[in-house]
Amino acid sequence: MRGLRRWLVILTLIAVCVGGGVFWYSHKHPSDPYKAAAYRIARPYRFSIPRWETKALLSEASERILTEVPDLNTPEAHDLVIDYLAVAREIGGLEGEIERLAAESGDDPSTQARIQELQEEVDRLRLLQKERRPVVERILEKQVSTILAEEHLGWLGKDWPPIAFQFTEPPYYFILSPRDRIVLRVGIHLKPQLSLKTREDLENRAERELPNTSALVEGIGGFSTWPTMIIDRASLEWVLSTIAHEWTHTYLIAFPLGRHYYDSPDVSAINETVADLVGNEVGHKALKRFYPEKVPPTPTPTPVHTQIRPLPTPTPQPTPTFDFTREMRITREHVDELLAQGKVEEAEAYMEERRRFFLKHGYYIRKLNQAYFAFHGTYRTGPAAPKEDPIGPRLRKLREESPTLRDFLRAVRDITSLDDLLRLVPEP
């Protein structure tokens, strides 16, 4: 018990430092009039990190004291995780069906009866998940921690900061980009309970009241508070990789790359891409170690895009022969070309055309605009990255040339600007 109390004190201090830093940044008064106006528009919907941290730390402390974790290599631990994630995906499917029925014919009595029936099943499954969630979280934490220790990743030679996460709904992200170029000008975290109508109203208001603005409220898959927030309606590989991705952000906060995250879009992109590279590698190794039957027979052609919330799967299912990555890269490249020529309206019409094209092939994208690319393009391992990218290719090259993942992380953690990366890796 004494060791557990000491562990909790250490983690609480980490949480205060990380949460306090994020809180300070997100609540400081913006000196830029544009940012000040954006924050004013978003004020009623802002996500409170301190309030969430207080609640999460209390539940985390009690759960760690009361939860017994089975041995990681036992069938019990394996099956608990597999069953939990299967039910989580089932809940996601049921909630999607409820939204579809409500949108198509919500006033019909027979439809209302079916919605009530589906909601009762969702409530039953959520009670089941509530009982199993703490032990499943502890199992996954220990599994990822095992790989971190083997890779000698962490502070002072230890696998610190200790991994801690909760399956929960992360906040939405309010993204503002200029219309005439793709860059993340403002990003604000919003409450996770916002309805679709509220999100769309907020986007429309921002585009109406702020000059030269493209707006998007987008869901995210993880958020690097402590404990970190992660959604559970995703594949096991995605979950493992996202746990490691968010841990990487927590690790980097002690170094220049983490502390300078908000200095510029370039530094943010470097930080996120490093977290993606580390998260993907650690997550895949954890999958291979503890769930070998879930490892695909051939490597996936594209990396797992952590932090970004997985796309909901509509009906019909995605076309098997459709290459989403290739088509999204074509889209980004042409949009950049049109904007460089000053053809803003043409670029926006083209993006709407491509959005419908993706939907036809089974990929639901609610809104494809400059703000979409400003956010998704931050992750330079993904298909929304710009063609002329000085960041992703250099970081991938550095990882390939680094003997170990530890060497790679030590090489990048002192970066504070794009110039630092260019000096570290002159040629991609």
Side-chain angles (χ1 to χ4, degrees):
M1 183 64 70
R2 181 179 178 184
L4 178 60
R5 285 198 298 268
R6 178 174 176 272
W7 189 86
L8 288 173
V9 169
I10 292 171
L11 293 180
T12 301
L13 290 173
I14 294 170
V16 169
C17 293
V18 175
V22 175
F23 172 72
W24 172 83
Y25 175 81
S26 61
H27 286 73
K28 68 179 181 179
H29 182 71
S31 57
D32 181 347
Y34 180 93
K35 288 185 178 180
Y39 274 69
R40 185 175 62 254
I41 291 171
R43 185 177 295 122
Y45 313 107
R46 293 278 301 279
F47 176 72
S48 172
I49 294 176
R51 187 178 298 118
W52 188 89
E53 285 283 7
T54 301
K55 181 180 178 181
L57 285 170
L58 290 173
S59 66
E60 193 74 14
S62 62
E63 288 174 1
R64 287 183 181 278
I65 293 171
L66 301 174
T67 302
E68 295 185 9
V69 182
D71 185 277
L72 299 185
N73 296 305
T74 62
E76 179 187 2
H78 175 282
D79 294 345
L80 275 169
V81 171
I82 297 298
D83 292 346
Y84 179 93
L85 292 179
V87 172
R89 289 192 293 274
E90 183 180 355
I91 290 172
L94 291 171
E95 290 177 334
E97 180 66 7
I98 289 172
E99 289 187 9
R100 184 187 68 81
L101 289 171
E104 290 181 354
S105 52
D107 295 334
D108 180 69
S110 61
T111 299
Q112 285 296 317
R114 177 57 179 160
I115 289 175
Q116 179 62 31
E117 180 183 340
L118 292 172
Q119 187 60 54
E120 289 173 0
E121 179 64 7
V122 167
D123 294 342
R124 184 187 71 81
L125 292 175
R126 284 197 178 279
L127 282 176
L128 175 64
Q129 294 292 81
K130 183 178 181 180
E131 296 174 1
R132 301 191 297 185
R133 178 185 59 79
V135 67
V136 170
E137 290 170 348
R138 302 293 86 79
I139 292 169
L140 290 168
E141 287 170 358
K142 287 181 176 293
Q143 289 172 341
V144 176
S145 293
T146 298
I147 304 302
L148 294 177
E150 291 177 355
E151 296 291 327
H152 305 289
L153 300 179
W155 298 342
L156 304 174
K158 305 286 187 181
D159 56 332
W160 283 5
I163 292 179
F165 82 94
Q166 289 188 3
F167 281 130
T168 187
E169 288 297 316
Y172 281 104
Y173 198 41
F174 184 34
I175 307 135
L176 300 178
S177 168
R179 291 178 62 207
D180 55 4
R181 60 194 177 100
I182 293 172
V183 62
L184 179 58
R185 184 168 185 182
V186 178
I188 304 171
H189 289 99
L190 307 177
K191 298 173 183 177
Q193 303 86 5
L194 299 182
S195 68
L196 175 59
K197 183 179 185 305
T198 299
R199 284 176 273 147
E200 290 182 336
D201 287 347
L202 186 58
E203 292 165 351
N204 293 335
R205 182 183 173 189
E207 292 180 346
R208 184 174 62 251
E209 296 184 11
L210 300 174
N212 187 30
T213 293
S214 170
L216 178 67
V217 178
E218 187 79 317
I220 58 176
F223 191 40
S224 54
T225 50
W226 191 91
T228 56
M229 308 179 202
I230 296 176
I231 64 168
D232 57 10
R233 299 182 304 278
S235 71
L236 178 56
E237 183 175 11
W238 189 94
V239 169
L240 290 167
S241 296
T242 304
I243 293 170
H245 175 114
E246 301 301 345
W247 174 87
T248 305
H249 284 310
T250 309
Y251 166 86
L252 288 174
I253 200 66
F255 301 98
L257 180 57
R259 294 195 299 269
H260 288 264
Y261 184 100
Y262 294 106
D263 282 7
S264 71
D266 285 334
V267 178
S268 299
I270 293 169
N271 195 304
E272 292 294 352
T273 305
V274 167
D276 254 0
L277 291 170
V278 174
N280 287 336
E281 189 166 336
V282 171
H284 182 75
K285 288 181 177 180
L287 186 73
K288 187 176 180 180
R289 167 72 62 82
F290 297 103
Y291 309 92
E293 79 284 359
K294 295 293 184 180
V295 178
T298 56
T300 55
T302 56
V304 177
H305 305 310
T306 54
Q307 179 130 11
I308 298 174
R309 189 172 298 187
L311 290 173
T313 303
T315 303
Q317 295 293 320
T319 308
T321 57
F322 182 76
D323 189 336
F324 175 82
T325 296
R326 176 178 177 275
E327 295 298 335
M328 184 55 77
R329 284 178 175 158
I330 290 172
T331 306
R332 173 64 194 265
E333 182 177 346
H334 190 52
V335 169
D336 284 339
E337 291 174 354
L338 290 172
L339 293 179
Q341 298 168 17
K343 299 178 179 179
V344 176
E345 290 77 12
E346 290 90 332
E348 291 172 341
Y350 171 72
M351 284 186 281
E352 175 59 19
E353 176 188 325
R354 294 294 284 181
R355 188 191 70 82
R356 295 177 182 275
F357 172 71
F358 285 118
L359 182 60
K360 178 182 177 182
H361 287 278
Y363 289 87
Y364 173 72
I365 299 175
R366 181 177 63 85
K367 195 171 184 180
L368 186 59
N369 60 2
Q370 297 89 331
Y372 176 96
F373 284 114
F375 172 57
H376 289 263
T378 301
Y379 304 85
R380 299 302 171 86
T381 60
K387 181 182 178 182
E388 302 299 327
D389 175 22
I391 294 172
R394 282 179 168 81
L395 288 174
R396 285 191 290 270
K397 180 182 180 181
L398 181 61
R399 175 61 193 103
E400 291 168 2
E401 294 178 347
S402 300
T404 66
L405 195 55
R406 180 172 181 257
D407 293 327
F408 170 72
L409 205 47
R410 283 172 172 261
V412 299
R413 67 190 188 185
D414 291 329
I415 290 174
T416 61
S417 66
L418 177 57
D419 286 342
D420 286 348
L421 177 60
L422 298 181
R423 282 190 292 269
L424 184 63
V425 189
E427 296 293 333

